[in-house]
Amino acid sequence: MQAPGTLEKDIIMNESPTDQGSSMPQRDRLTLRRHSSTSQPNIPDQNLNIDEEDDELYTIHIEVRLKKRSTARVDYIKQIVLDYLSQDETLLVPSSVTGWESESRLAQNVERIAACDCSHPSNVVEIAKAQLEIHVYQPIVCEQDDLSTGNTKDDVTAATVTELPCIEWDTLWDSLIYDNDVKSELLNYLYATFLLSEANVDSNLVSWNRVVLLHGP
């Protein structure tokens, strides 16, 4: 709706035949219409929502290692860690988080908190622009099972199976350093497989063998 006193130009195409006996060709007629001053002004819609582009949130993976005898619920620890980290403005990734020992509930149940991985191009990330993915785990004492070749004469160990999370391997991941982003890609793949498993996705629709093979020196 136009505001009072404005001019609206309506171009009307005259498609009717020309008048008989007239030598004037058919022309477009331009009509100027002035709105009456009594017309109601254009009132903006109060329910109109203006979409603004949200800032991109960068995912930060936070690992929380529980003490061996802790019986705290995972969701309970996640919320406490989230509240604690949200008090800071920035977070260094990767790094071991410090200062949480002053929180009695964390000191009672947690051994270590670490910021392990982030999609941000810089290693200093603003908390306001981050989405914290908190992973709580409780390591166990490694119990390894040796798988042999099955040959009774020359029985050779073909593989060793270790249940995770294993306390002896707890810092092994941090010691792996690569030039490319293979660690982040591996974590994203594993996380996707867990989501597929929890959603009971039909393996005929999404083909994956549920095996991750790591090899190298």
Side-chain angles (χ1 to χ4, degrees), residues 89-188:
E89 295 183 357
T90 60
L91 185 61
L92 180 64
V93 182
S95 68
S96 294
V97 180
T98 58
W100 54 267
E101 297 85 355
S102 60
E103 168 59 61
S104 59
R105 293 171 296 179
L106 292 178
Q108 183 180 359
N109 296 282
V110 174
E111 283 187 347
R112 179 174 180 263
I113 300 177
C116 299
D117 186 74
C118 182
S119 58
H120 195 275
S122 173
N123 59 349
V124 179
V125 186
E126 296 182 24
I127 296 296
K129 296 182 179 180
Q131 179 179 352
L132 302 181
E133 291 287 347
I134 301 175
H135 311 280
V136 180
Y137 68 99
Q138 193 169 31
I140 60 176
V141 178
C142 288
E143 295 182 0
Q144 297 181 347
D145 295 329
D146 294 334
L147 301 180
S148 64
T149 58
N151 191 338
T152 56
K153 294 181 179 180
D154 298 324
D155 197 1
V156 179
T157 301
T160 301
V161 179
T162 304
E163 185 178 357
L164 298 178
C166 175
I167 187 63
E168 283 79 3
W169 289 16
D170 194 45
T171 58
L172 179 61
W173 180 262
D174 297 334
S175 65
L176 301 177
I177 301 176
Y178 301 95
D179 295 334
N180 51 20
D181 203 22
V182 63
K183 293 176 68 174
S184 297
E185 294 176 357
L186 178 60
L187 288 176
N188 291 336

